[in-house]
Amino acid sequence: MIREIFFISLTLLIFSTTFCRSNTTSPNHYHNPDPDEKLPLYSNASDLLKDLLQGYDIRLRPGFGGDALQLTMDVIIASFDSISEVDMDYTLTMYLHQYWTDERLIWKQELPIDEMTLSGEFSKKLWVPDTFLANDKQSYLHEVTETNKMLRINSDGQVSYGMRLTSTLSCSMNLRNFPLDSQNCTVEIESYGYTTSEVLMKWSFPTAVYGVTQADVPQFTITGHETQDSIVETATGAYQRLSLVFQLQRSVGYFIFQTYLPCVLIVMLSWVSFWINHEATSARVALGITTVLTMTTISTGVRQSLPRISYVKSIDIYLVMCFVFVFAALLEYAAVNYSYWGRERGKAGAADEWPINGANKEDRESAVNVEKWIPKTSTEQRRAELAEQESSSPPPTQTVVPPTKRASSPIAPLCSNNNLATSLVDEDMEEYPRYCSPSMKGARPHHHSTLNHRRPAHSLRQKRRMTMARLNVSMKQSISGISRRARKVIPTIRVRDVNLIDKYSRIVFPVCFVVFNLFYWSYYTMFSAIISNYFS
């Protein structure tokens, strides 16, 4: 009995040892691809992953030493966050998916597991492409609540690797037609280290981009998109590059209400001065200056939202022309004011001051006397020459010279008015009397010899004054001659009624502004689009 129990126990021990040894020494299916060998049935996926990673080298790409790896990509657009004209970039949130085949991750179809979806952390144990965005400025992966990465492995070795990221990408913009422009912004995807002999990238077929129609772009409308592939030659080799091009059309509604409509209203406001009386100087000048300053403020605000570029933009042309119309309205009143006061001055014949309008004292204050700037006529030149000849003749001795208009002296006169008969008065002398008659009490008589003794000093002064007077006359004659020749060349326009200038301005200014708007909007909405499509 005891012997039978011993033999049964020994038999069970040998059988169990043989069975356990066969389980622990099963070879790796990738390294032993014998089809006749039966693989064990794994109780869970953890054992399968351990078996797949046994002898796996993440430093080597799949198919190392053979043909180039085929890497397929697709993109899902989540949102367009912002587009900046100042920085020439745009921010995009997207899902980037990459697909390739790794023969080291194949397992047999007899296993009950067809695919495994793993967390993003497991990607650190496998080989993944070194893909980067070539036109990227700043990017980051989302990590709420976990790192937004996905890794999926199929039984045939197909690997799907996806991530969710937000990237700020550069976009070279042509702003010549701003804000009536259209832009092309791209996403450039490229392998950083693997050349075309090792990795070949291509877009997924038939659809490589998703979510474009649902995306909402601030101030833009997505009119289309296209995918491109190219080979980029660098100093380290040739690399495959995939490009996703977004065709964006700017929405002009924001700029119409923020820029164009205020400019139109400011220009129309400047035309109100044409219906104001030309004698209301303060009202018309204040209105003109206000409109000019408002246009300057609008132009400054528009420039702050744009980069400092050298070429002229379409909005710059519109702002400059509106400024020209406003400034021309202010100059129109200057022409009216000059014509009105020139005519009144000719009627009154006043030489040194302007006529006074008793009904409106503001006009007297604001009127400009241009008499100082008009060269003298020939009659006035003749008068100056006669005065010069009289001053050059020697003064008679002991002649009674009537006192001229002189400023009153702050000091009491030394002699009375009755004793001025023998005094010598000259234009070069001081404003106060120096010579008195001998009849003055206590006064020292001055004889004729004394006067003759002092005469040479006065003669030198007179000569210098004559020389200066001749120079002044010659300069005035040359200036008057130039002005006469200029009047012959330039036709003079004489306006009988200054109100006609305002009446014509009420028609000319609006018509010119409407014509300008027709040319502007027709060119930048139709012709510019045709030209850009032709050259593109």
Side-chain angles (χ1 to χ4, degrees):
M1 187 67 180
I2 296 174
R3 185 178 296 177
E4 293 176 356
I5 294 173
F6 176 76
F7 281 110
I8 293 172
S9 300
L10 183 60
T11 304
L12 292 175
L13 179 62
I14 294 172
F15 179 77
S16 61
T17 303
T18 305
F19 181 76
C20 292
R21 183 178 299 174
S22 64
N23 286 340
T24 56
T25 59
S26 60
N28 192 328
H29 66 280
Y30 178 73
H31 299 285
N32 188 10
D34 189 3
D36 297 334
E37 183 180 0
K38 293 183 179 180
L39 296 177
L41 296 177
Y42 297 98
S43 59
N44 52 46
S46 299
D47 296 335
L48 178 58
L49 292 177
K50 291 179 181 179
D51 188 36
L52 293 176
L53 296 178
Q54 185 177 356
Y56 190 93
D57 192 352
I58 63 174
R59 296 172 297 178
L60 302 178
R61 66 172 179 86
F64 179 79
D67 296 336
L69 176 66
Q70 298 291 331
L71 182 61
T72 307
M73 293 189 181
D74 64 51
V75 174
I76 300 176
I77 304 300
S79 64
F80 277 86
D81 298 332
S82 64
I83 298 180
S84 174
E85 292 83 8
V86 178
D87 299 327
M88 292 284 185
D89 58 22
Y90 70 105
T91 304
L92 178 68
T93 300
M94 62 180 176
Y95 299 88
L96 178 61
H97 296 154
Q98 306 177 68
Y99 309 95
W100 71 93
T101 301
D102 193 344
E103 62 275 5
R104 294 171 292 183
L105 302 177
I106 297 175
W107 66 85
K108 295 299 182 179
Q109 297 294 333
E110 288 81 2
L111 297 178
I113 302 175
D114 295 332
E115 66 177 14
M116 290 184 293
T117 301
L118 308 172
S119 64
E121 297 295 331
F122 192 78
S123 62
K124 297 180 180 179
K125 300 179 181 180
L126 300 178
W127 179 91
V128 292
D130 58 346
T131 306
F132 78 105
L133 302 178
N135 60 333
D136 172 57
K137 289 186 176 180
Q138 184 178 4
S139 299
Y140 64 91
L141 289 174
H142 294 263
E143 297 181 353
V144 179
T145 57
E146 292 292 336
T147 303
N148 296 171
K149 283 185 177 182
M150 180 271 297
L151 183 64
R152 183 173 297 155
I153 306 175
N154 295 333
S155 59
D156 57 353
Q158 181 72 26
V159 181
S160 302
Y161 182 53
M163 63 188 70
R164 179 171 175 258
L165 63 130
T166 297
S167 178
T168 300
L169 306 170
S170 63
C171 178
S172 181
M173 301 182 184
N174 185 359
L175 300 177
R176 284 184 171 84
N177 295 337
F178 179 89
L180 306 173
D181 59 333
S182 58
Q183 304 295 337
N184 292 332
C185 295
T186 61
V187 180
E188 307 288 344
I189 304 174
E190 186 180 337
S191 176
Y192 189 81
Y194 294 100
T195 61
T196 54
S197 61
E198 295 177 309
V199 174
L200 290 177
M201 306 169 66
K202 64 178 181 179
W203 289 107
S204 179
F205 183 81
T207 305
V209 183
Y210 303 88
V212 177
T213 56
Q214 291 80 17
D216 187 13
V217 187
Q219 299 184 13
F220 283 90
T221 302
I222 302 178
T223 58
H225 68 279
E226 61 178 350
T227 56
Q228 302 174 354
D229 58 353
S230 59
I231 296 177
V232 179
E233 296 284 347
T234 63
T236 58
Y239 299 90
Q240 187 82 29
R241 175 176 292 184
L242 301 182
S243 302
L244 172 59
V245 183
F246 297 102
Q247 299 169 359
L248 307 175
Q249 178 67 42
R250 193 183 302 273
S251 301
V252 74
Y254 171 82
F255 297 94
I256 287 178
F257 289 99
Q258 295 294 326
T259 304
Y260 287 101
L261 187 58
C263 290
V264 171
L265 295 179
I266 293 300
V267 173
M268 295 175 65
L269 181 62
S270 66
W271 300 340
V272 176
S273 62
F274 303 151
W275 278 266
I276 301 177
N277 188 0
H278 63 273
E279 296 182 355
T281 305
S282 301
R284 296 189 67 163
V285 172
L287 180 61
I289 294 177
T290 301
T291 53
V292 169
L293 294 178
T294 306
M295 282 302 307
T296 305
T297 304
I298 295 176
S299 302
T300 304
V302 172
R303 292 192 194 97
Q304 290 178 352
S305 61
L306 294 174
R308 297 180 179 179
I309 50 183
S310 58
Y311 52 82
V312 180
K313 302 175 288 295
S314 65
I315 196 169
D316 293 337
I317 296 176
Y318 197 88
L319 292 175
V320 168
M321 290 304 299
C322 290
F323 186 86
V324 168
F325 276 100
V326 170
F327 192 73
L330 182 60
L331 294 181
E332 185 269 348
Y333 176 65
V336 170
N337 191 46
Y338 177 77
S339 300
Y340 174 73
W341 287 109
R343 184 191 63 183
E344 293 295 330
R345 179 175 174 274
K347 291 181 179 179
D352 295 329
E353 63 180 25
W354 295 89
I356 301 174
N357 189 354
N360 192 350
K361 295 181 180 180
E362 295 176 354
D363 291 334
R364 182 183 180 185
E365 298 174 356
S366 61
V368 180
N369 189 352
V370 296
E371 175 65 23
K372 298 179 180 180
W373 311 102
I374 299 176
K376 293 184 178 181
T377 59
S378 58
T379 306
E380 295 173 347
Q381 295 176 5
R382 182 60 180 168
R383 292 177 182 175
E385 293 175 358
L386 293 176
E388 179 185 355
Q389 293 177 1
E390 293 176 0
S391 61
S392 60
S393 59
T397 57
Q398 294 184 355
T399 352
V400 179
V401 180
T404 58
K405 280 188 178 182
R406 300 182 184 274
S408 59
S409 173
I411 305 174
L414 300 178
C415 56
S416 61
N417 294 332
N418 298 328
N419 298 326
L420 293 175
T422 60
S423 63
L424 179 63
V425 181
D426 188 76
E427 292 181 357
D428 294 330
M429 296 172 61
E430 300 293 335
E431 298 291 335
Y432 314 111
R434 292 183 179 180
Y435 304 99
C436 299
S437 62
S439 60
M440 183 177 176
K441 293 181 179 181
R444 186 178 178 179
H446 295 274
H447 300 285
H448 183 67
S449 61
T450 307
L451 293 177
N452 292 334
H453 178 71
R454 295 196 178 191
R455 186 174 300 170
H458 297 294
S459 300
L460 294 176
R461 291 183 182 179
Q462 291 175 1
K463 289 180 179 180
R464 288 196 297 268
R465 187 171 181 84
M466 288 171 55
T467 305
M468 295 300 297
R470 290 173 182 173
L471 290 175
N472 292 334
V473 170
S474 61
M475 290 178 62
K476 291 177 181 178
Q477 289 177 353
S478 60
I479 293 174
S480 61
I482 294 173
S483 62
R484 284 194 301 269
R485 288 192 293 270
R487 293 192 196 100
K488 294 179 180 179
V489 175
I490 302 175
T492 57
I493 301 176
R494 297 182 179 180
V495 181
R496 296 182 179 179
D497 187 6
V498 294
N499 293 323
L500 290 177
I501 301 177
D502 286 337
K503 290 180 181 179
Y504 287 126
S505 299
R506 296 169 191 172
I507 301 174
V508 173
F509 275 75
V511 170
C512 293
F513 190 68
V514 170
V515 171
F516 163 70
N517 277 272
L518 290 177
F519 276 99
Y520 178 86
W521 292 104
S522 61
Y523 174 78
Y524 282 104
T525 54
M526 293 187 301
F527 297 108
S528 63
I530 296 174
I531 294 174
S532 61
N533 292 333
Y534 176 77
F535 286 103
S536 61

